[in-house]
Amino acid sequence: MTVIASPQQASPWRRLIASSAPPRFVGLDIARGLAVIGMIAAHVAEPGPGFRWSDLSSWADLVNGRPSILFALLAGISIALMTGRVQRPTSEQMPRIRLQLIGRGITIFIIGLLLEQLGTSVLIILTLYGILYVVALPFVRARRRTLVLWSAGLALLGPALLVLVQVVTLEPYASGLGLVVQTVYSLPVWVALMLAGLAIGRSDLRRWMTAATVLGVGLVLSAVGYGAGAAYEAADGPTAGWEEPVDGIETVAPYDPGVELLPGEDVELTGMECEVYDDGWTMCAPEGELNTEYDEAEEYESWSASGWDAYSDAVAGAGLADRLLDALLDSSPHSGGSAEVVGSGGFAMALVGLLLLTGRWLRWPLIPIAAVGAMPLTAYSAQIVAIFVIGGPGGYIEDTGVFWATTAGLLAGCTLWIAFFGRGPLERVTKWVGDRMARG
């Protein structure tokens, strides 16, 4: 009779072997590990010159924006794996699955809020990542065809529709909008990628044909997205941000294309009085017309105006046509444009497909990276804490040495944790909360 040791009784070596053995997909663990390491590089490493396919020295800039998109794609795959893999859950299973996903999402969201309290310069992805678990609920039982159509629709039309809504509503801002829309990790973009991952996860990932298809489709999408973005940049270029100075004059775009910033010595200020503000801007007007002291009644009266009077002019001056072009064709990192979603999303798909194909051979040489990917929530949180400890509250780090030290520490720490304890500590917490909620 053969006795099989439980995970608690297994030796560290056997536990480490089991961590990358079926039914786990070691290729997905490696992909998650690379996403975490890429985020460390984006957070603390010295920035590169800007990625260009033709310049190998610029390839380090791949970490700019792409790890977060890879994370969003992998989130969908993970949700598929925990809700039935190839088999869509039945209606009877859905109440338990809904509560499990909500429990996990809330836990991840709270961990993200706690990490934000550290005050690092890092834009924490976990709050939006936690929301994805709730947004995924209506799609858990959807067919792959439906998932693909929704993903394509959001990727191609979502950014443009978002710009249209922002222009029509005159750029409103509130805490909810700031969390899910007005951020470099926009929810519409992430949902498109999450649904693509969910469709991939509903496929049989054990078949090499599935992995090859994901790789091939990813390469095509990446070429289309980045190709469209490169053509747009060469022809005209994105309008967002500050334009380069031309003949000593710097123009502001797209905020007010009619405003020109001139050197101070070229401005005639005779007969003018000026007021300097804390942000460095100066306002000048003819003497007697710059009133810096307001009567309280006049001040309140000045704010009693109808926004409808200037609404049409505000919408007309918002540069809608240029912004829609950016939303469709801007492929630069964190732009949220359709070209970026397709290009970087395709890049992430190609990487996942490649690692699914080669995971069995890469299992041993890349087992430390797979260990990081087997506990991504813990690894991501640990690198934020490390940045806080090194840089302090409100600090900013731009040091390649810190990247290598943090990465080495995570590779060693995660490998040892997997070997001696198995599942990561924060992964245990999210699973426990999800299971408790499902049990009621």
Side-chain angles (χ1 to χ4, degrees), residues 42-307:
H43 296 157
V44 302
E46 297 178 9
F51 176 71
R52 295 183 302 278
W53 288 105
S54 58
D55 184 1
L56 288 177
S57 65
S58 71
W59 280 40
D61 195 61
L62 282 171
V63 301
N64 191 5
R66 293 171 184 86
S68 60
I69 282 182
L70 177 58
F71 247 118
L73 184 77
L74 290 168
I77 297 176
S78 297
I79 291 172
L81 294 180
M82 71 178 65
T83 58
R85 301 196 176 196
V86 178
Q87 297 297 325
R88 292 179 293 135
T90 64
S91 56
E92 291 79 14
Q93 294 172 319
M94 280 307 298
R96 176 182 58 82
I97 288 175
R98 288 193 189 98
L99 291 173
Q100 280 183 325
L101 291 179
I102 291 173
R104 287 174 181 253
I106 291 174
T107 306
I108 294 171
F109 184 87
I110 292 173
I111 293 172
L113 290 181
L114 293 175
L115 293 177
E116 287 179 347
Q117 297 302 310
L118 297 179
T120 65
S121 60
V122 178
L123 293 171
I124 306 298
I125 69 168
L126 295 185
T127 48
L128 193 55
Y129 198 83
I131 292 173
L132 279 183
Y133 276 74
V134 179
V135 176
L137 291 176
F139 300 97
V140 170
R141 295 193 67 225
R143 299 177 182 275
R144 278 186 299 174
R145 176 187 175 87
T146 303
L147 294 170
V148 170
L149 290 176
W150 270 98
S151 176
L154 284 173
L156 296 176
L157 301 178
L161 288 175
L162 185 58
V163 165
L164 182 61
V165 170
Q166 289 174 331
V167 168
V168 170
T169 56
L170 301 185
E171 310 285 351
Y173 181 81
S175 57
L177 290 172
L179 175 64
V180 301
V181 175
Q182 295 159 342
T183 170
V184 294
Y185 304 118
S186 176
L187 184 62
V189 171
W190 270 41
V191 172
L193 295 161
M194 181 269 291
L195 293 178
L198 191 54
I200 293 172
R202 286 284 180 249
S203 307
D204 188 352
L205 301 182
R206 295 169 299 180
R207 299 178 63 235
W208 71 268
M209 182 59 74
T210 300
T213 301
V214 173
L215 172 60
V217 171
L219 289 175
V220 171
L221 291 177
S222 185
V224 169
Y226 288 137
Y232 175 54
E233 184 177 0
D236 187 19
T239 61
W242 292 88
E243 295 181 356
E244 292 296 325
V246 179
D247 297 330
I249 299 176
E250 198 174 44
T251 60
V252 184
Y255 311 103
D256 190 346
V259 173
E260 292 185 349
L261 302 181
L262 302 175
E265 59 271 15
D266 294 346
V267 180
E268 178 57 53
L269 297 177
T270 304
M272 307 282 282
E273 57 180 349
C274 301
E275 182 177 0
V276 180
Y277 295 95
D278 293 338
D279 58 5
W281 286 84
T282 302
M283 183 172 68
C284 299
E287 292 183 2
E289 295 185 13
L290 185 63
N291 184 12
T292 57
E293 297 181 2
Y294 300 97
D295 180 82
E296 185 174 352
E298 292 179 351
E299 182 179 359
Y300 283 113
E301 183 180 356
S302 67
W303 288 99
S304 300
S306 173

Side-chain angles (χ1 to χ4, degrees), residues 39-48 63 396-403:
M39 285 191 173
I40 300 172
H43 296 157
V44 302
E46 297 178 9
V63 301
Y396 179 77
I397 300 174
E398 193 175 283
D399 188 335
T400 303
V402 173
F403 160 71

